[in-house]
Amino acid sequence: MKKYDITFFDLDIGAPSATIAEYGVSLNVAASKFISEWKYGKLGYDKARKLIVIHVHNDDLRSDGSFLISDKVTNNGYIRINSRDFVRTVSQYCEVSLTPSFRCLAEWDPDENYLVIDLKKVLDTSKTSDQNTQ
């Protein structure tokens, strides 16, 4: 058993985060690194826990409803997923406002192959989760 369970922080790329806005979801470089090597991603949400999840996989047979991750990577290493319908649905069911946009903590769940975006863990210092709750 390890004495410590340390997660080292990369000062160059910062905290893994996602920006939630009216157009969709953008992952910063730190969050993008978790999923950029996978072929497919599938968007979902958890109403009760107020989470957005991106389930990643490489299975061509399960590609229905998935997006090609490589198509979403920008030149600067961010991943941008445009879907107004998705974020409007999340806004309604998870009771968060999309204006102004807000940045949330993103964490990797290796057991499920999920990138988990917690809508309650807002990283912007000028905003709190209470301000983003309708």
Side-chain angles (χ1 to χ4, degrees):
M1 178 171 209
K2 296 188 294 185
K3 186 173 181 179
Y4 301 102
D5 185 17
I6 297 173
T7 302
F8 287 97
F9 190 83
D10 187 331
L11 296 174
D12 293 329
I13 61 174
S17 67
T19 299
I20 314 303
E22 291 181 315
Y23 62 80
V25 178
S26 288
L27 306 178
N28 72 354
V29 173
S32 296
K33 284 187 172 201
F34 289 118
I35 70 169
S36 62
E37 298 299 317
W38 293 85
K39 187 170 184 180
Y40 297 108
K42 194 171 213 174
L43 282 174
Y45 60 93
D46 181 324
K47 294 180 201 179
R49 292 188 176 126
K50 295 188 179 188
L51 304 172
I52 292 174
V53 297
I54 302 173
H55 173 62
V56 294
H57 63 90
N58 292 322
D59 187 351
D60 292 332
L61 298 175
R62 295 187 306 137
S63 65
D64 285 351
S66 300
F67 59 89
L68 278 171
I69 292 172
S70 61
D71 288 351
K72 305 298 182 187
V73 179
T74 65
N75 290 338
N76 57 7
Y78 285 70
I79 291 177
R80 184 169 174 167
I81 306 161
N82 294 326
S83 178
R84 290 181 185 273
D85 285 344
F86 176 74
V87 292
R88 287 176 183 156
T89 301
V90 167
S91 174
Q92 289 297 311
Y93 285 122
C94 296
E95 299 174 325
V96 294
S97 175
L98 299 175
T99 54
S101 62
F102 58 102
R103 195 167 62 106
C104 298
L105 185 64
E107 297 178 89
W108 178 247
D109 180 338
D111 297 328
E112 301 292 334
N113 290 340
Y114 284 173
L115 183 68
V116 179
I117 302 162
D118 192 332
L119 300 172
K120 299 177 305 300
K121 294 184 179 178
V122 177
L123 293 176
D124 294 311
T125 56
S126 63
K127 302 174 185 133
T128 65
S129 58
D130 290 338
Q131 290 173 321
N132 286 318
T133 303
Q134 294 178 338

